[in-house]
């Protein structure tokens, strides 16, 4: 890995250190050895001055390909970027990788979550909302995807969309359960902000049946919201 980066393979667009990794990637390597090489490769590419070598590498990954050592190390690298606060890099790499993960829905969801967080941390609320909607479109049965959409809709000022998403989450829970009460109280606050009295009064009545199960703060909120209901 000490090859001079002045050496270049123009056909493949690789510099010396990348060629070193490529040439050592022998098919007889075991998973542990492969992960060490991949770990090194990701950091060599990330260290290139142009900044786009790693993006090109991820963009060039096969569509729908499954490579356990690569998937493990690349996801760990994204988490490392998250921990370092390199959100611009995280957003760009995750965007390139997501289309490659259509056959791996669980991993794809986790990468979506990282991308949405990266966009949000950069103040790109509209882009984060679009990404949340794309996440839900790809994984409509994911409760976490619905929650991410609800939270991001609210953060982006789409209170109507947020309330609808929270309503979907509540409908999937047993009425009166702790999560149902938490989500329903959140909906009640949103309905108050939307001045949706009819729906708010109905929800307030539904929650009131379980008043004895509510935390003290929830009980106070329930009394203060839609107090003019019949």
């Amino acid at each position: 890995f000490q090859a001079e980066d002045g050496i270049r393979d123009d056909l493949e667009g690789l510099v010396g250190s990348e060629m070193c990794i490529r040439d050592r990637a022998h098919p007889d390597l075991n998973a542990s050895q492969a992960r060490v090489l991949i770990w090194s490769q990701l950091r060599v590419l990330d260290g290139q001055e142009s900044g786009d070598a790693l993006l090109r590498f991820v963009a060039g990954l096969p569509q729908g390909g499954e490579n356990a050592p690569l998937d493990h190390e690349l996801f760990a690298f994204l988490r490392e970027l998250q921990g370092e606060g390199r959100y611009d890099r995280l957003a760009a790499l995750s965007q390139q990788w997501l289309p490659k993960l259509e056959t791996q829905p669980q991993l794809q969801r986790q990468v979506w979550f990282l991308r949405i967080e990266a966009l949000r941390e950069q103040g790109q609320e509209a882009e984060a909302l679009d990404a949340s909607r794309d996440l839900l479109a790809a994984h409509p049965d994911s409760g976490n995807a619905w929650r991410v959409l609800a939270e991001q809709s609210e953060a982006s000022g789409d209170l109507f969309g947020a309330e609808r998403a929270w309503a979907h989450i509540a409908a999937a829970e047993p009425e009166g359960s702790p999560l149902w009460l938490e989500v329903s109280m959140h909906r009640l606050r949103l309905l108050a902000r939307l001045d949706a009295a009819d729906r708010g009064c109905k929800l307030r009545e539904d929650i009131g049946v379980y008043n004895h199960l509510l935390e003290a703060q929830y009980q106070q909120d329930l009394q203060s919201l839609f107090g003019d209901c019949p």
Side-chain angles (χ1 to χ4, degrees):
F1 298 112
Q2 296 178 359
E4 289 292 336
D5 282 350
I7 303 172
R8 178 174 294 276
D9 183 331
D10 291 327
L11 182 62
E12 295 193 26
L14 302 176
V15 296
S17 51
E18 297 165 8
M19 293 164 59
C20 181
I21 294 169
R22 177 200 61 188
D23 295 341
R24 293 186 186 197
H26 192 279
D28 291 338
L29 291 175
N30 62 38
S32 178
Q33 293 168 325
R35 283 172 56 179
V36 170
L37 285 173
I38 294 165
W39 185 96
S40 302
Q41 182 178 23
L42 294 175
R43 284 150 184 82
V44 166
L45 294 172
D46 186 47
Q48 296 299 313
E49 290 186 7
S50 65
D52 61 357
L54 185 53
L55 287 172
R56 291 199 309 270
F57 171 77
V58 175
L61 294 175
Q63 189 81 19
E66 295 188 25
N67 181 327
L70 173 60
D71 294 340
H72 181 278
E73 291 303 322
L74 184 50
F75 184 73
F77 183 73
L78 295 186
R79 292 294 302 271
E80 186 177 308
L81 294 177
Q82 177 193 32
E84 294 173 353
R86 297 173 62 192
Y87 294 113
D88 56 340
R89 192 67 158 158
L90 174 56
L93 287 172
S94 58
Q95 184 179 28
Q96 292 291 341
W97 196 20
L98 279 167
K100 315 293 184 178
L101 299 173
E102 292 182 356
T103 61
Q104 302 182 73
Q106 184 173 357
L107 178 57
Q108 188 188 56
R109 283 197 300 272
Q110 296 303 314
V111 176
W112 270 117
F113 296 148
L114 289 176
R115 172 165 169 73
I116 292 166
E117 178 186 347
L119 293 170
R120 183 187 300 129
E121 289 291 338
Q122 295 178 91
Q124 300 177 29
E125 299 292 353
E127 292 83 353
L129 181 56
D130 288 341
S132 300
R133 290 168 175 160
D134 291 342
L135 164 64
L136 185 62
H139 304 280
D141 297 326
S142 169
N144 286 335
W146 278 100
R147 178 175 283 270
V148 167
L149 177 62
E151 293 174 346
Q152 188 56 48
S153 295
E154 189 169 350
S156 301
D158 181 10
L159 302 186
F160 181 73
E163 195 279 323
R164 285 191 304 172
W166 286 119
H168 180 93
I169 295 170
E173 298 297 322
E175 188 170 310
S177 67
L179 182 55
W180 183 89
L181 289 170
E182 175 194 343
V183 171
S184 296
M185 286 301 304
H186 201 89
R187 286 184 60 207
L188 193 66
R189 297 188 190 99
L190 284 174
L191 289 170
R193 293 171 66 185
L194 290 165
D195 200 22
D198 289 345
R199 295 178 64 199
C201 287
K202 175 62 172 65
L203 181 57
R204 184 178 188 271
E205 181 181 354
D206 292 343
I207 297 172
V209 174
Y210 306 99
N211 187 63
H212 61 289
L213 298 177
L214 293 174
E215 298 177 3
Q217 184 59 55
Y218 285 167
Q219 290 179 344
Q220 293 176 18
D221 291 347
L222 189 63
Q223 293 299 318
S224 64
L225 296 171
F226 298 105
D228 295 333
C229 292

